């Protein structure tokens, strides 16, 4: 009788153990070094976007004016030179490292940490259910992120971002934006989807996908940046274009024979149906 | 120079009334403070930002006692004092007013009464109450505004709420709770009596209303404010800040209103104001009238983030103030 009870208990224990481990198995392990695949949007990534290319960005009129006022000379100012790209944009550039922070007793996941090669920024994705800080707390380039597993997809919600860029040619993303991200692992491929919601500058959410491949023999290098004075300028000088005076923004449209209106972005330019509209618009003379 | 038309005369009157409104505290009388909760955000080891209604309060606490930058509205003083006592039982020694407006000085009297001034020697022996009440430090112009005759129907500011120690030099230094504190004058910015407070060891700047994150800065022209002074103040703050790598963190800035900031936020603010200033200055150079400038929407790209169509300080009032500033010889 005793041996029967013991057997039943052992079976129950084994079943419980299987349940527990399968629960844990539903969370993918994302730890490791991941190398960017750069299978899309290459010009927008390493070389940088062309001046006047806002096509496909769901920006509103206010953000368009900001973009048209932007001068690339701005980033020559010392206080702009080492500004890092925000967490909703930094995943476009180079490799990343992910690692886990677990409770040493329970093995419960407390946080995921992520380091970008680009600008060597680090962010923390809290997985322990903590609340986001109040609005009056500090905003940062990485923002405040919390995550949860939705089946085998890690979904991240980020608030407390400083103002950043949707595209690094002047299209701004406000500090009122929130970001939802999804990490989806398929074997050695990681798909990272970023959804930017900006009530200030976007007509619709902006969605960006990036793919990475798991690497067994790469490390993420460091990234140094020191600000220097590159030219003598009057104190407080901010390079910008006065409304209606920016000729640089025609470069993209004229180089590629794209209608000016299409190059200026807006939610409509994100969709395939816009190709019909493009065909009806005047094309600028090539440069 | 343009002659003073009836409409511009009226608008100047509105701006003057706004300044008086803030200075007198009648703005506060229109608010319901019953649900306001005072919350504390830890900024550095011994520095807190208190948030309620009105300007942010900076609190520095330590072995020497408590130092307070700005005191919000009088109606909130009990709650502010209770929150301070949660964080420190030490004596309130100093209050620093960044400027004279009632949303930053309304609590002066009650918080001063809860504190005590360090006094001694002949003064302590000869004047029995020399140590009673905390010291209130402000720029001299702030005191002048607080002692000016009140607007019709408004009460005078009680003497217990007035600064007890003023300065008229570019800076005033203080050593308290183990660190140097530099109070710096920012001329003709939000008003003509603005101070910013730099906690050198904690590496925190309390900016008053020369830097805010919630809306376009209020330029109190009637009390000596100017867009050029606000931009100069933002540049001075940027000069003081040393960021960590990547322009995130480092020196932190507690704004007059809004959220805790670092250099990136102040740079964006300075950039926004400089671009708007340049646009309106260009329009003035082209001979555009105020109405033409407003119609041209020189703030259009920043309005969704910084503007307001109603309330105490609207986008229209901001554009008018910038235009007026830049139209004067002093503003050019």
């Amino acid at each position: 009788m005793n041996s029967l009870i013991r057997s039943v208990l052992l079976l129950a224990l084994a079943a419980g153990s299987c349940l527990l481990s399968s629960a844990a198995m539903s969370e993918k392990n994302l730890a490791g070094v991941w190398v960017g695949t750069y299978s899309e949007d290459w010009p927008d990534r390493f070389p940088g976007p062309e001046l006047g290319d806002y096509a496909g960005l769901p920006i509103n009129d206010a953000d368009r004016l900001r973009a048209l006022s932007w001068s690339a000379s701005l980033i020559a100012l010392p206080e702009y030179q080492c500004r890092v790209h925000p967490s909703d944009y930094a995943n476009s550039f180079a490799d990343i490292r992910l690692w886990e922070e677990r409770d040493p007793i329970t093995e419960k996941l407390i946080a995921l940490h992520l380091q970008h090669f680009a600008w060597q920024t680090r962010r923390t994705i809290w997985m322990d259910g903590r609340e986001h800080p109040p609005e009056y707390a500090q905003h940062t380039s990485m923002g405040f992120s919390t995550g949860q597993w939705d089946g085998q997809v890690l979904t991240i919600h980020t608030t407390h971002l400083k103002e950043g860029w949707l595209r690094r040619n002047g299209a701004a993303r406000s500090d009122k934006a929130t970001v939802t991200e999804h990490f989806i692992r398929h074997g050695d491929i990681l798909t990272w989807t970023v959804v930017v919601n900006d009530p200030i500058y976007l007509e619709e959410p902006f969605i960006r996908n990036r793919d990475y491949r798991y690497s067994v023999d790469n490390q993420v290098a460091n990234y140094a940046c020191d600000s220097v004075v590159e030219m003598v300028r009057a104190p407080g000088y901010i390079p910008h274009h006065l409304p209606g005076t920016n000729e640089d923004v025609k470069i993209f449209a004229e180089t590629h024979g794209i209608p000016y209106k299409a190059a200026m972005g807006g939610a409509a330019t994100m969709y395939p149906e816009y190709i019909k509209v493009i065909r009806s618009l005047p094309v600028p003379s090539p440069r | 120079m343009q002659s003073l038309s009836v409409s511009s005369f009226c608008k100047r009157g509105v701006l003057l009334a706004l300044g008086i409104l803030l200075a007198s505290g009648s703005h506060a009388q229109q608010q319901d403070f019953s649900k306001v909760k005072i919350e504390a955000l830890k900024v550095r080891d011994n520095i807190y930002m208190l948030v309620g209604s009105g300007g942010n309060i900076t609190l520095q606490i330590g072995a020497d006692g408590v130092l307070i930058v700005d005191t919000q509205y009088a109606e909130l003083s009990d709650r502010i004092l209770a929150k301070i006592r949660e964080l420190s039982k030490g004596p309130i020694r100093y209050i620093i007013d960044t400027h004279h407006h009632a949303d930053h000085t309304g609590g002066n009297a009650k918080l001063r009464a809860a504190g005590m001034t360090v006094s001694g020697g002949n003064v302590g022996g000869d004047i029995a109450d020399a140590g009673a009440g905390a010291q209130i430090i402000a720029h001299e112009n702030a005191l002048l505004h607080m002692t000016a005759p009140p607007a019709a129907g408004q009460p005078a500011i009680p003497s217990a709420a007035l600064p007890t120690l003023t300065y008229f030099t570019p800076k005033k230094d203080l050593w308290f709770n183990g660190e140097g504190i530099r109070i710096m004058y920012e001329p003709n910015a939000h008003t003509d009596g603005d101070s910013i407070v730099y906690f050198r060891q904690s590496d925190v700047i309390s900016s008053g209303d020369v830097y805010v994150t919630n809306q376009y800065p209020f330029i109190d022209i009637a009390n000596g404010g100017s867009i050029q002074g606000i931009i100069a103040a933002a540049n001075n703050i940027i000069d003081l800040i040393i960021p960590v790598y990547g322009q995130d963190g480092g020196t932190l800035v507690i704004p007059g209103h809004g959220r805790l900031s670092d250099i990136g936020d102040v740079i964006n603010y300075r950039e926004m104001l400089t671009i708007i200033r340049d646009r309106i200055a260009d329009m003035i150079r082209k001979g555009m009238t105020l109405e033409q400038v407003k119609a041209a929407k020189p703030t259009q790209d920043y309005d969704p983030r910084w503007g307001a169509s109603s309330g105490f300080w609207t986008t229209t009032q901001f554009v008018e103030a910038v235009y007026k500033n830049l139209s004067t010889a002093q503003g050019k």
Side-chain angles (χ1 to χ4, degrees), chain A residues 79-80 136 162 175 201, chain B residues 39 248 259 270-271 301:
Chain A
E79 60 266 37
Y80 287 80
Y136 53 77
K162 282 201 284 201
D175 61 348
Y201 285 136
Chain B
E39 296 178 10
D248 248 347
R259 62 177 170 77
R270 183 268 310 261
E271 180 184 316
D301 42 350

Side-chain angles (χ1 to χ4, degrees), chain A residues 27-225:
Chain A
E27 297 178 1
K28 294 270 188 179
N29 177 13
L30 299 175
V33 171
W34 298 84
V35 179
T37 59
Y38 313 113
S39 52
E40 57 184 344
D41 299 339
W42 172 259
D44 187 24
R45 299 171 75 174
F46 275 92
E50 292 173 79
L51 293 172
D53 175 13
Y54 310 109
L57 295 181
I59 55 175
N60 60 18
D61 288 343
D63 208 24
R64 192 169 298 107
L65 178 56
R66 282 206 63 175
L68 298 180
S69 301
W70 184 81
S71 165
S73 292
L74 189 70
I75 51 179
L77 296 179
E79 60 266 37
Y80 287 80
Q81 288 169 14
C82 293
R83 284 187 124 180
V84 300
H85 279 39
S87 58
D88 50 317
Y89 198 5
N91 71 339
S92 291
F93 312 98
D95 308 340
I96 59 168
R97 179 192 293 121
L98 277 156
W99 67 100
E100 296 179 335
E101 179 182 342
R102 288 188 177 271
D103 183 291
I105 306 299
T106 65
E107 282 296 315
K108 192 174 176 183
L109 187 59
I110 297 169
L112 276 168
H113 298 281
L114 190 156
Q115 178 163 332
H116 309 93
F117 160 73
W119 298 275
Q120 208 167 352
T121 44
R122 281 189 178 188
R123 60 186 291 209
T124 299
I125 300 150
W126 296 105
M127 302 294 293
D128 55 0
R130 70 181 62 196
E131 291 184 357
H132 286 236
E135 167 56 24
Y136 53 77
Q138 188 186 0
H139 287 214
T140 63
S141 299
M142 297 296 105
F144 187 93
S145 299
T146 52
Q148 60 181 38
W149 287 99
D150 180 13
Q152 297 198 5
V153 176
L154 175 66
T155 297
I156 301 163
H157 182 56
T158 300
T159 58
H160 293 76
L161 287 159
K162 282 201 284 201
E163 183 177 284
W165 314 271
L166 294 164
R167 189 171 282 168
R168 48 183 174 161
N169 58 0
R173 190 266 291 134
S174 86
D175 61 348
K176 299 291 184 187
T178 58
V179 175
T180 301
E181 295 161 273
H182 304 287
F183 283 71
I184 306 160
R185 180 172 185 169
H186 304 279
D188 284 351
I189 297 295
L190 177 67
T191 297
W192 183 351
T193 299
V194 179
V195 183
V196 182
N197 292 281
D198 186 352
I200 304 295
Y201 285 136
L202 289 181
E203 293 177 333
E204 291 182 20
F206 175 53
I207 302 170
R208 181 186 277 134
N209 285 302
R210 297 289 178 247
D211 287 325
Y212 290 82
R213 182 180 295 281
Y214 182 77
S215 172
V216 293
D217 52 11
N218 275 54
Q219 288 297 338
V220 176
N222 70 328
Y223 190 106
C225 182

Side-chain angles (χ1 to χ4, degrees), chain A residues 7-25:
Chain A
S7 299
V8 169
L9 282 172
L10 280 172
L11 274 170
L13 198 62
S17 170
C18 286
L19 281 173
L20 282 174
S21 58
S22 69
M25 286 295 285

Side-chain angles (χ1 to χ4, degrees), chain B:
Chain B
M1 285 292 89
Q2 295 175 339
S3 61
L4 191 64
S5 67
V6 173
S7 72
S8 68
F9 178 79
C10 291
K11 281 161 191 159
R12 285 188 189 186
V14 168
L15 283 171
L16 183 65
L18 281 174
I20 291 170
L21 197 69
L22 268 181
S24 66
S26 56
H27 183 231
Q29 290 165 14
Q30 300 162 3
Q31 294 192 33
D32 175 14
F33 292 103
S34 61
K35 293 188 174 64
V36 175
K37 190 178 169 195
I38 305 298
E39 296 178 10
L41 178 71
K42 188 167 188 172
V43 176
R44 288 275 152 77
D45 280 349
N46 64 333
I47 303 277
Y48 291 83
M49 177 172 120
L50 301 193
V51 179
S53 179
N56 291 325
I57 292 173
T58 301
L59 209 62
Q60 186 230 33
I61 59 178
D64 295 342
V66 178
L67 180 148
I68 305 167
V69 181
D70 289 342
T71 58
Q72 292 194 359
Y73 290 112
E75 290 84 347
L76 298 170
S77 293
D78 289 337
R79 276 167 269 180
I80 292 166
L81 197 53
K83 181 57 74 176
I84 291 171
R85 287 300 168 229
E86 283 178 23
L87 299 168
S88 170
K89 304 294 183 201
I92 298 172
R93 297 287 193 193
Y94 293 104
I95 294 168
I96 301 171
D97 290 340
T98 58
H99 60 288
H100 71 282
H101 289 155
D103 60 330
H104 291 256
T105 59
N108 275 5
K110 206 152 204 174
L111 295 180
R112 168 174 153 74
M116 60 180 75
T117 297
V118 180
S119 69
N122 292 340
V123 172
D126 297 343
I127 307 170
D129 63 349
Q135 192 83 272
I136 302 179
I137 303 173
H139 188 268
E140 184 179 65
N141 288 347
L143 174 64
L144 292 175
H145 290 305
M146 293 171 83
T147 52
Q154 295 297 324
I157 296 172
S159 59
L162 297 176
T164 55
L165 179 61
T166 60
Y167 73 102
F168 61 90
T169 45
K171 64 180 174 66
K172 173 173 176 51
D173 291 342
L174 195 64
W175 181 270
F176 193 64
N177 284 326
E179 71 174 320
I181 299 163
R182 177 157 289 180
I183 305 166
M184 285 169 275
Y185 179 49
E186 295 295 346
N188 300 101
H190 171 58
T191 68
D192 63 3
D194 294 305
S195 300
I196 64 171
V197 185
Y198 181 27
F199 299 88
R200 299 202 333 168
Q201 186 169 310
S202 300
D203 205 13
V204 173
I205 297 168
S206 186
S207 71
D209 282 1
V210 300
Y211 169 69
V212 296
T213 72
N214 61 331
Q215 63 172 6
Y216 289 125
F218 171 42
I219 307 169
D220 187 354
I221 291 180
N223 287 306
S226 73
I227 182 66
Q228 301 286 39
I230 288 181
I231 292 172
N235 279 315
N236 289 341
I237 292 171
I238 291 167
D239 281 345
L240 287 172
I241 292 176
I242 299 178
V244 295
Y245 168 81
Q247 305 283 311
D248 248 347
T251 310
L252 295 177
V253 182
I254 297 176
H257 297 265
R259 62 177 170 77
L260 183 64
S261 302
D262 68 11
I263 189 170
D265 302 302
V266 186
I267 285 172
N268 292 337
Y269 174 81
R270 183 268 310 261
E271 180 184 316
M272 175 265 292
L273 293 175
T274 304
I275 289 173
I276 291 172
R277 190 257 336 253
D278 290 354
R279 286 175 184 169
I280 295 178
D282 181 63
M283 292 173 181
I284 291 170
R285 270 194 298 273
K286 289 174 177 166
M288 291 171 70
T289 65
L290 175 58
E291 291 310 312
Q292 288 171 324
V293 168
K294 284 196 281 191
K297 298 182 179 172
T299 59
Q300 183 191 357
D301 42 350
Y302 294 103
D303 287 346
R305 169 63 179 82
W306 298 90
S309 55
S310 62
F312 166 71
W313 184 242
T314 64
T315 301
T316 301
Q317 288 169 316
F318 172 67
V319 171
E320 287 172 354
V322 175
Y323 183 92
K324 284 191 174 76
N325 271 166
L326 299 177
S327 298
T328 63
Q330 195 179 17
K332 283 177 181 169

